Amino acid sequence: TYNKHCPHVCLEAPHIVNIFSFSKAFGMMGWRVGYIAYHRSLRNSLLKAQDTIPICPTQISEKMALGALEAGREWVLSKLPSLVRNRDLLLEALKPLRVIGGQG
C-alpha cells in the first residue's frame, strides 16, 4: 500500500466515531498509538467507555506520535520511496520460497 496514496478521511456526524492509528498514516507500526475523532455530543458516552479500557502507551510512543504530528505528512511522504525499495527487495529475496503473493 506504500505506492498508493490513500487520503486520511474523517467522517462527521452525531453518530460516527472515527478510530485511527499512527501505523500506516505516519509509518509508526508497532508503536501502538492511536486516536479517535467524534462529534462533541458523544463525549460523555465515550468517556464512560474509555474508563473501562486499559490505555497505557509508553511515554516514548506518545513523544513519537507528537513528533509525527509536528513533522506532518510531508516527512512521511518523503520516506515512501525507500520503503517501496525495501519492500521490493524483500519480495524479490522471498520469491524462491514461493510463499509471498498479493498486492500489499
Side-chain angles (χ1 to χ4, degrees):
T1 60
Y2 294 119
N3 54 356
K4 297 175 186 169
H5 175 65
C6 298
H8 186 87
V9 178
C10 189
L11 302 176
E12 186 175 348
H15 64 286
I16 294 177
V17 175
N18 296 274
I19 302 172
F20 300 105
S21 156
F22 280 75
S23 295
K24 286 196 177 182
F26 289 94
M28 293 178 60
M29 293 66 65
W31 289 95
R32 316 305 283 166
V33 179
Y35 60 98
I36 62 172
Y38 54 89
H39 191 272
R40 73 174 51 129
S41 66
L42 297 173
R43 183 178 188 274
N44 289 336
S45 295
L46 288 171
L47 285 174
K48 289 177 194 173
Q50 182 270 333
D51 191 45
T52 64
I53 301 170
I55 300 173
C56 293
T58 63
Q59 288 183 352
I60 189 69
S61 292
E62 291 175 342
K63 290 183 185 298
M64 292 289 292
L66 182 59
L69 291 173
E70 289 171 347
R73 291 285 298 152
E74 294 75 25
W75 183 86
V76 174
L77 293 174
S78 74
K79 303 301 176 196
L80 287 182
S82 66
L83 290 173
V84 170
R85 237 180 352 266
N86 289 342
R87 181 200 60 199
D88 292 344
L89 286 170
L90 179 62
L91 289 175
E92 189 62 33
L94 293 174
K95 266 186 184 177
L97 300 177
R98 297 181 188 184
V99 294
I100 300 294
Q103 300 297 315

